[in-house]
Amino acid sequence: MIVKKIKTYLVCGFVNFLLLLRQQADAENASTESRELYRSRSHIDEILKLQSEEAAPYHKLLPEFTSQLKKIYHEDIKPMEDAYKFNNFREIGYSGISDAELDAKPMILFLGPWSGGKTSIINYFVGADKPHRLQTGAEPVTSEFTILMHGEEYNKIEGLVLVTDSSKPFGSLEKYGKGFMEHFTGIQMPSKILEKVTFVDTPGIIENRKQQERGYPFNEVSDWFIQRADLILVVFDPTKLDIGTELESIFDRLKGHESQIRIIFNKADNIKPQELMRVYGALFWSLAPLIQVTEPPKVYVGSFWDEPFKPGTYKDLFLEEEKALLTDINNVIINNLEHKVATMRKRAITVRIHALLLDRFRATFEENKPWFGGTEKVWKDILEWPGNFSINQSVTAQPNVSRYDIPDLKIYQEFFKIHDVNSFKPLASQCSIFGRGCFLDKIQDAIFDKLPRLLSSIKTKARDICDVNGDCTGEQKHSLWKKPPSLIGNIVKSFT
């Protein structure tokens, strides 16, 4: 026991000594740093290849394969969505997909408490000039959902215009009403990064504010963007780590999107190096109840804006973290087509299960309703106690249905308040009279054959283009699951 304590003290003393050396080294560079007005953006251009004029293989393939994806959706998936009112099922959070959404660039969504630095990160990445920067401040400033898009000239677009323009992927947001339209805006600007991605800035979460005070359904709007985002960056200020009900609600809506979530531990150069690990641990402690997965999302630590790092901090570490985040963004750009196909397949699986459940609810009601009277009580019992009628077990007994994809059946209580169960036809009878096949057969063909073949074809053609043209502008495909080293690993590396 004594030996272990001695070893612990020696290790702690050595780490503190190294920290002191690093502080002294940074202090020597402080005078140089203080003369710099803005941080260099050269690494942003390099990692995202913003100055490269040559199109990468996946850009060349977009029109061809997006057209095939649209055809699969309209012919094999949407008919079942319409027949079983899937797009009206707000409890699941889905709405219809427009062609403009399938054509859209990758979307990067910024969420998090107020004053975390979301808007400053966007200003930094897009390289906006001072007159055209999004407004920032210590107090809550962003009160709108703001879409950052590419344009040849700076232009601000009203929310009502955005949802009316059929060439833009925001038409279905109109359902959230006039109150939301007043808090929805778009900005076009000539930024190289916006030629590749679209950024979405969101109002900061303020825990003492009630939903009705916003004037529109904030959580439902956030869910709309979460369903469509290719990368979700949740930004925290290390001095404001309180978790409240609104943030809990957002994380509840993030369930099922864990692979797309990244946590940004911003403004880290405001913390003394000796306290950084303690605050980093406090963030994980606060988030642990909200992110109930085996492997937590990757956390990027740094100071993500254009001002120089403060003297005496881990500036080299923070720069490496920033580069790792940019690599993640680049991976999203590279994997855009694959992500569209995978997302469509996930949607098709959800639609199929929804239809199977509705069909089972309808059949169960037909099997158990009495000949005379009492039908309302039977239907109420089925909705309140679906387990007693083996509805879940009947659906999971179907081929290729995972019990982990079945939603909580209680949510159908709200659905059937709007839709009469008798209004739905039996699934077996949902077949085209013109010989185009049955809805169930077509959606299963899309899930298990067409979409996997489309994904395989994308990878093959991209590889063929690379073989012909060389290294494809030097870009290498990365898995979205591959994560850079952890903060601890980077700290150790910074001393070697």
Side-chain angles (χ1 to χ4, degrees):
M1 182 64 105
I2 295 176
V3 173
K4 287 185 179 179
K5 286 186 177 181
I6 292 174
K7 286 182 178 180
T8 302
Y9 292 144
L10 287 174
V11 170
C12 291
F14 181 66
V15 171
N16 287 332
F17 174 71
L18 291 175
L19 287 171
L20 181 60
L21 289 179
R22 175 51 59 88
Q23 289 176 15
Q24 290 174 345
D26 286 343
E28 292 174 1
N29 296 325
S31 59
T32 302
E33 292 178 340
S34 63
R35 290 194 296 270
E36 297 175 359
L37 295 177
Y38 298 104
R39 196 185 305 173
S40 170
R41 297 183 74 258
S42 60
H43 59 291
I44 300 178
D45 293 347
E46 179 182 356
I47 293 173
L48 299 180
K49 305 193 182 303
L50 300 183
Q51 304 306 322
S52 175
E53 298 297 330
E54 183 179 352
Y58 42 88
H59 292 145
K60 297 176 183 178
L61 299 175
L62 271 171
E64 174 188 352
F65 285 103
T66 302
S67 176
Q68 293 185 43
L69 188 60
K70 290 176 186 176
K71 183 177 180 181
I72 293 172
Y73 174 63
H74 287 293
E75 292 184 359
D76 302 329
I77 301 172
K78 193 172 188 301
M80 184 170 277
E81 288 185 0
D82 296 340
Y84 290 93
K85 308 297 182 184
F86 180 77
N87 296 331
N88 297 336
F89 198 2
R90 68 176 185 269
E91 288 78 13
I92 288 183
Y94 283 88
S95 57
I97 297 179
S98 65
D99 285 351
E101 289 181 54
L102 295 176
D103 288 326
K105 298 171 185 174
M107 180 187 294
I108 299 179
L109 174 65
F110 288 78
L111 296 170
W114 66 274
S115 190
K118 300 185 295 296
T119 307
S120 294
I121 297 174
I122 294 174
N123 282 334
Y124 174 43
F125 282 169
V126 302
D129 296 330
K130 274 195 173 180
H132 299 147
R133 286 175 171 238
L134 301 181
Q135 187 179 359
T136 61
E139 296 299 320
V141 173
T142 304
S143 61
E144 301 174 328
F145 281 80
T146 305
I147 311 296
L148 274 291
M149 303 167 289
H150 180 262
E152 295 303 323
E153 296 181 355
Y154 181 88
N155 183 31
K156 191 168 183 178
I157 307 172
E158 293 181 0
L160 191 59
V161 176
L162 279 177
V163 300
T164 305
D165 187 347
S166 61
S167 68
K168 303 226 171 7
F170 308 111
S172 57
L173 282 166
E174 191 171 14
K175 66 183 178 182
Y176 296 114
K178 295 180 180 179
F180 172 65
M181 290 299 106
E182 295 176 359
H183 293 85
F184 181 46
T185 188
I187 294 177
Q188 290 181 321
M189 62 175 64
S191 168
K192 284 288 186 180
I193 192 172
L194 293 178
E195 292 180 3
K196 298 191 173 189
V197 298
T198 296
F199 288 127
V200 180
D201 195 12
T202 62
I205 294 171
I206 303 176
E207 293 300 347
N208 60 0
R209 175 179 291 177
K210 297 179 180 179
Q211 284 285 301
Q212 57 268 29
E213 292 177 2
R214 292 187 184 270
Y216 62 93
F218 173 78
N219 286 339
E220 291 184 29
V221 174
S222 298
D223 193 63
W224 188 96
F225 284 102
I226 288 169
Q227 296 290 346
R228 289 158 175 79
D230 295 82
L231 191 65
I232 303 168
L233 305 180
V234 187
V235 185
F236 287 93
D237 182 334
T239 64
K240 301 181 180 72
L241 297 182
D242 293 336
I243 305 297
T245 55
E246 192 164 66
L247 190 61
E248 288 176 357
S249 178
I250 290 296
F251 269 94
D252 188 57
R253 292 170 185 271
L254 288 172
K255 290 178 181 177
H257 301 273
E258 286 80 9
S259 66
Q260 293 142 260
I261 302 172
R262 304 293 184 268
I263 306 296
I264 306 294
F265 189 78
N266 200 18
K267 304 182 183 181
D269 61 348
N270 287 331
I271 304 173
K272 294 180 180 179
Q274 297 92 330
E275 298 180 5
L276 182 58
M277 289 301 297
R278 179 183 60 79
V279 181
Y280 182 83
L283 174 64
F284 266 106
W285 181 267
S286 299
L287 295 180
L290 305 181
I291 310 175
Q292 298 177 2
V293 292
T294 304
E295 184 180 1
K298 167 65 186 172
V299 178
Y300 293 107
V301 181
S303 181
F304 300 88
W305 63 344
D306 55 8
E307 293 195 12
F309 296 112
K310 292 184 178 179
T313 57
Y314 294 118
K315 62 177 185 178
D316 293 337
L317 165 65
F318 297 155
L319 182 58
E320 289 302 312
E321 291 282 285
E322 188 174 302
K323 290 179 179 178
L325 173 59
L326 289 166
T327 300
D328 243 351
I329 293 175
N330 193 49
N331 291 343
V332 165
I333 297 169
I334 292 173
N335 289 285
N336 182 26
L337 263 174
E338 288 92 331
H339 180 74
K340 286 180 187 293
V341 176
T343 301
M344 183 62 73
R345 187 172 186 272
K346 178 181 176 182
R347 180 186 182 94
I349 290 171
T350 307
V351 172
R352 175 180 178 243
I353 289 175
H354 172 67
L356 289 170
L357 284 170
L358 256 64
D359 189 59
R360 190 62 242 164
F361 271 112
R362 185 204 57 77
T364 301
F365 179 55
E366 289 295 326
E367 294 164 3
N368 290 274
K369 69 179 182 180
W371 287 97
F372 303 101
T375 56
E376 290 186 6
K377 182 181 184 309
V378 170
W379 179 235
K380 182 179 179 181
D381 289 342
I382 292 172
L383 287 179
E384 288 190 358
W385 311 104
N388 293 345
F389 297 87
S390 302
I391 289 179
N392 199 328
Q393 293 88 334
S394 298
V395 173
T396 54
Q398 297 288 326
N400 299 304
V401 174
S402 171
R403 64 187 179 91
Y404 300 106
D405 291 331
I406 304 292
D408 183 353
L409 299 188
K410 294 292 185 183
I411 62 178
Y412 281 92
Q413 294 177 5
E414 293 298 320
F415 179 82
F416 284 117
K417 286 180 180 178
I418 303 171
H419 304 288
D420 185 355
V421 66
N422 294 310
S423 66
F424 296 103
K425 295 180 181 179
L427 193 54
S429 69
Q430 293 282 18
C431 298
S432 171
I433 61 174
F434 299 105
R436 295 179 181 175
C438 299
F439 290 174
L440 185 59
D441 293 336
K442 292 174 74 66
I443 199 168
Q444 289 179 162
D445 189 36
I447 293 169
F448 303 113
D449 181 42
K450 290 184 178 181
L451 290 172
R453 278 196 292 112
L454 182 62
L455 183 59
S456 178
S457 183
I458 290 170
K459 293 180 178 179
T460 300
K461 287 208 172 184
R463 187 167 56 247
D464 290 344
I465 293 174
C466 288
D467 292 339
V468 172
N469 297 340
D471 65 350
C472 300
T473 69
E475 291 179 338
Q476 304 227 345
K477 288 208 168 194
H478 301 277
S479 167
L480 289 174
W481 290 94
K482 185 176 181 180
K483 299 179 182 178
S486 65
L487 172 67
I488 298 175
N490 275 326
I491 290 179
V492 173
K493 182 180 178 181
S494 69
F495 290 122
T496 60

